[in-house]
Amino acid sequence: MANEKSKAEQYRDERKARIAKSAKKNAHSMEKRNTVKKITGKVISIVLCAVIVLGIVGFSLNYYGALQRVIRIGGVGSEQPVTIAEYEYYYMRAYNQVKYQAQYYEYYYQTSMGYDTSLAPDEQTQTTKDKDGNEITWAEKLHNDTIELVQLHKAYYNEALKKGLELDEADKAYIDQQIEGLREEAEGAGSDADSETKVKYSLNAYLRKVYGGSINERFLRKQLKIQLLAQKYLTERTSEIADGYEQADIDAAYKKDTAKYDFVTFRAYTFNTTKLTAEENETDDQLKARQEKADAEVKKNANDFFKAVKNEATFIAKAKEFNKDTENYDVDKDTLYSMLKDSVSQNFSEDAAKWLFESSTKVGTTKLFSDDENGKYIVVLALKAPHQEQTVTARHILFSTQDQNTGSDLSDEEIAEKKNQAEEVLKQFNEGSKTEESFAALAVKYTEDSGSTSTGGLYENIYPGQMVAEFNDWCFDAKRQPGDVEIVKTDYGYHIIYFIAKDGTDYYDSAIRSSKADEDIETETKELQDGDTYKVGFGPRRTEYAENRAVKKIKYLVELEKANSSASYK
């Protein structure tokens, strides 16, 4: 109902009633309290001094978050208490995730997901939906997400302790790297946008400024440990489930849909038309005629290429002929592929994928796929019928040669520096123990691949075509041996790759096990959330207090971001 009060409003009304009742009681006892005037001035002086000191201590404890780090708002099960500070911490994590998603939608899709990043959670004008499809406010969603994050991390952390899991060197290096990264941010952080001077923050001061008054280095290290052990438990438990499936069941699942897990090997050459722009004094009709002529030329080249191809040798020769003026042209890199059906559809066309996987398509045959509407033509040569590929496992350390914000290439000088950095870290590895564990620790410290930082650069069950071409070719080189380490240059940057092993299993085996395990771990997680062992119990008053603190911090950060943004345009 529109007039129905929210829980927060009900609580505020109840609180006002309690205050009014207390005030009335105090008024009736005023006469009795006046008898304290007979107490000596000396005693009063001592009491006042004590009150002042206690006030200063109380303010200090509140400002530095000491109280919030010990006062509980509830717990997860009987063994995992939750403090105000922890609620705030996970609230900020939930908020940052929503903010990132909103920015991602705006940047990549030029659309809104419904959350306005210029407003705090309680100021949002749009609503969203919960897991059951019910309409809720963004403030309610963030609170729900916070509770879920707290519950899952606490539960999995406790399960990790039961299992005897501990942090390894790579985990410890990851925590140190996160802390040092924040310390660097603190040292480089400026003051308010309109200030000409820079302020160097200590790490704890910076954490209070950005994440809330309850967060300090010691607290953050503890939370990172909880997160890593929770993730370690989840990873190991998922692996246990995956390894527990009967091989016969995996094989049966594969036979039901072989096209989903099979690969095809082929060559492809793509012709694309280019949209022309008007030249000086050129009319629309002249531009149109010139565009039609250019489009016809592209289509003719595609047809000529297709007619010339009789086998793989003629395909390669024709591709080289079309690129005779292209410096360092690599015909295999640009025309040779081994892909899953879905990858063929995404990278080329659905028709090409369908044709390559048809039983009637013979090895050595060629077909031209035309998309006149979009001016795209693809000549495809089938080299190998649908088949299985084995996977490999490797670690890598990336030194990115692209701007992380724009995706554009760095300057030649910056790229040269990235190469030097890669060579220096490789030298550091070779001068050390040269183990996989030492490589993982270096990956945590140096890699610029955020997706694999916490795992020490680990990529398991890599299948052909999954990685960028140069990375892929290095990993799947027939001569590759466990322990091989080398710098490989790709469009993304310089990778130091450590080859762990050829897994010795077909792709379908790891893919089906992984898919089934993900489903089962999701079911197990739901049972964990709904069960009694890790039931969440939070006091509403302290929870509201913690939520208000977090929202207040977000409002401050939003206003700070607006001020900094305005200053940058002056």
Side-chain angles (χ1 to χ4, degrees):
M1 296 290 291
N3 295 324
E4 187 177 354
K5 293 184 177 180
S6 68
K7 290 182 179 180
E9 290 173 327
Q10 292 174 13
Y11 167 72
R12 284 192 288 271
D13 289 345
E14 291 168 2
R15 184 171 180 271
K16 289 177 182 178
R18 288 195 300 273
I19 293 173
K21 184 177 181 181
S22 176
K24 184 176 181 180
K25 181 179 179 181
N26 290 341
H28 286 307
S29 61
M30 182 65 71
E31 183 178 350
K32 184 177 181 180
R33 290 204 308 274
N34 283 337
T35 60
V36 300
K37 292 180 180 180
K38 297 178 181 180
I39 299 174
T40 65
K42 183 177 180 180
V43 173
I44 292 175
S45 179
I46 292 173
V47 172
L48 286 175
C49 287
V51 171
I52 292 171
V53 171
L54 288 173
I56 293 172
V57 172
F59 171 78
S60 178
L61 289 173
N62 185 64
Y63 178 75
Y64 289 105
L67 293 175
Q68 285 75 25
R69 291 193 293 273
V70 296
I71 296 177
R72 300 179 180 183
I73 63 173
V76 177
S78 60
E79 300 180 32
Q80 296 293 314
V82 180
T83 64
I84 292 172
E86 287 179 305
Y87 179 93
E88 291 181 61
Y89 174 75
Y90 283 101
Y91 192 98
M92 292 303 293
R93 284 191 59 191
Y95 164 72
N96 285 328
Q97 179 63 25
V98 166
K99 180 182 176 183
Y100 169 79
Q101 290 176 340
Q103 292 172 333
Y104 183 88
Y105 268 76
E106 290 172 4
Y107 184 82
Y108 288 100
Y109 301 117
Q110 284 78 52
T111 187
S112 172
M113 61 172 271
Y115 188 90
D116 186 346
T117 57
S118 67
L119 300 174
D122 60 346
E123 298 171 335
Q124 298 294 316
T125 58
Q126 297 189 59
T127 58
T128 185
K129 292 186 177 180
D130 63 14
K131 294 179 179 179
D132 298 322
N134 300 314
E135 191 170 322
I136 57 174
T137 67
W138 281 100
E140 289 173 322
K141 173 180 169 51
L142 284 170
H143 171 72
N144 294 342
D145 289 352
T146 302
I147 298 299
E148 183 175 44
L149 281 172
V150 171
Q151 183 189 35
L152 290 178
H153 279 87
K154 291 283 188 177
Y156 283 139
Y157 172 68
N158 199 50
E159 291 297 314
L161 295 180
K162 290 180 183 178
K163 205 175 179 66
L165 299 181
E166 296 180 350
L167 299 181
D168 57 27
E169 291 304 311
D171 295 327
K172 294 174 183 176
Y174 173 75
I175 291 176
D176 289 339
Q177 187 260 355
Q178 294 296 306
I179 295 297
E180 291 311 307
L182 287 167
R183 201 185 305 279
E184 289 179 9
E185 283 185 26
E187 292 176 355
S191 58
D192 294 335
D194 58 352
S195 175
E196 295 181 359
T197 60
K198 289 288 183 179
V199 176
K200 284 190 175 181
Y201 293 99
S202 67
L203 176 58
N204 286 339
Y206 181 66
L207 291 173
R208 287 196 300 272
K209 178 183 177 68
V210 177
Y211 296 102
S214 306
I215 314 300
N216 62 11
E217 179 180 349
R218 184 177 179 182
F219 173 88
L220 185 56
R221 283 184 178 276
K222 179 182 177 182
Q223 295 308 314
L224 290 172
K225 177 183 178 180
I226 290 173
Q227 290 170 223
L228 286 176
L229 283 177
Q231 182 59 51
K232 191 179 285 283
Y233 169 78
L234 185 60
T235 300
E236 289 201 8
R237 179 62 188 139
T238 304
S239 181
E240 286 176 0
I241 293 173
D243 292 342
Y245 299 127
E246 294 292 335
Q247 189 62 49
D249 294 333
I250 301 300
D251 293 342
Y254 166 61
K255 290 176 182 177
K256 285 183 180 179
D257 191 4
T258 57
K260 182 177 180 179
Y261 303 103
D262 278 345
F263 293 78
V264 284
T265 302
F266 61 98
R267 287 190 183 271
Y269 196 98
T270 303
F271 295 83
N272 289 299
T273 57
T274 303
K275 186 176 182 179
L276 304 178
T277 56
E279 296 178 346
E280 187 177 359
N281 298 323
E282 186 177 36
T283 65
D284 290 344
D285 288 342
Q286 289 171 330
L287 174 61
K288 182 180 178 182
R290 190 160 60 88
Q291 181 72 65
E292 290 175 349
K293 182 178 179 181
D295 293 349
E297 182 67 20
V298 171
K299 187 173 183 178
K300 179 180 181 302
N301 287 339
N303 277 292
D304 290 346
F305 191 108
F306 169 66
K307 291 175 182 178
V309 174
K310 306 301 179 185
N311 49 41
E312 187 174 10
T314 52
F315 188 106
I316 292 171
K318 201 65 178 176
K320 288 181 176 179
E321 178 186 331
F322 270 90
N323 290 275
K324 59 185 177 183
D325 297 325
T326 303
E327 187 177 0
N328 300 321
Y329 178 68
D330 188 334
V331 68
D332 283 347
K333 176 185 174 183
D334 290 335
T335 71
L336 183 60
Y337 306 93
S338 182
M339 287 183 172
L340 296 164
K341 187 174 184 179
D342 282 347
S343 297
V344 179
S345 294
Q346 293 169 11
N347 289 280
F348 295 98
S349 74
E350 290 185 12
D351 289 340
K354 183 179 179 181
W355 178 74
L356 282 167
F357 278 86
E358 285 177 349
S359 58
S360 58
T361 300
K362 303 301 181 183
V363 171
T365 56
T366 310
K367 188 166 184 178
L368 173 62
F369 296 91
S370 301
D371 182 356
D372 291 320
E373 184 177 347
N374 295 305
K376 181 179 180 180
Y377 310 95
I378 311 168
V379 179
V380 180
L381 169 66
L383 293 180
K384 195 173 181 180
H387 60 280
Q388 272 300 298
E389 295 277 7
Q390 293 201 332
T391 61
V392 302
T393 297
R395 294 183 185 271
H396 86 132
I397 304 171
L398 171 65
F399 296 87
S400 178
T401 55
Q402 295 181 337
D403 185 287
Q404 298 301 304
N405 295 318
T406 65
S408 58
D409 290 338
L410 301 177
S411 67
D412 291 342
E413 293 78 10
E414 290 171 320
I415 290 175
E417 177 58 27
K418 293 290 186 179
K419 182 180 180 182
N420 290 336
Q421 291 173 7
E423 291 172 344
E424 183 59 35
V425 172
L426 178 57
K427 179 182 177 182
Q428 187 176 339
F429 170 76
N430 287 327
E431 290 175 349
S433 60
K434 299 177 69 171
T435 63
E436 182 187 343
E437 187 176 24
S438 67
F439 187 93
L442 290 172
V444 166
K445 185 175 182 180
Y446 293 109
T447 190
E448 295 176 22
D449 172 19
S450 59
S452 66
T453 303
S454 63
T455 61
L458 180 64
Y459 280 94
E460 298 177 294
N461 305 127
I462 303 170
Y463 57 84
Q466 178 182 353
M467 299 299 193
V468 66
E470 296 86 355
F471 195 117
N472 178 86
D473 294 345
W474 189 87
C475 285
F476 287 96
D477 189 316
K479 298 176 292 185
R480 192 62 52 226
Q481 294 296 319
D484 285 355
V485 182
E486 192 174 339
I487 295 176
V488 176
K489 175 70 168 65
T490 74
D491 291 340
Y492 294 100
Y494 292 94
H495 307 252
I496 309 175
I497 310 178
Y498 180 98
F499 188 77
I500 297 175
K502 298 176 182 177
D503 298 327
T505 57
D506 288 332
Y507 166 74
Y508 83 84
D509 188 272
S510 61
I512 294 174
R513 287 181 185 276
S514 178
S515 178
K516 286 173 63 66
D518 286 344
E519 293 176 0
D520 288 346
I521 200 69
E522 186 175 340
T523 300
E524 193 171 286
T525 298
K526 184 70 167 58
E527 292 172 351
L528 178 148
Q529 289 177 291
D530 295 341
D532 293 331
T533 304
Y534 294 110
K535 184 172 290 185
V536 176
F538 282 6
R541 291 179 61 184
R542 289 182 179 177
T543 302
E544 184 181 14
Y545 168 76
E547 184 176 4
N548 287 339
R549 280 175 59 89
V551 171
K552 183 178 179 181
K553 172 54 63 176
I554 291 171
K555 287 181 178 178
Y556 164 76
L557 293 174
V558 168
E559 292 305 315
L560 184 63
E561 190 171 327
K562 288 179 182 178
N564 289 335
S565 179
S566 299
S568 66
Y569 287 102
K570 291 181 180 179

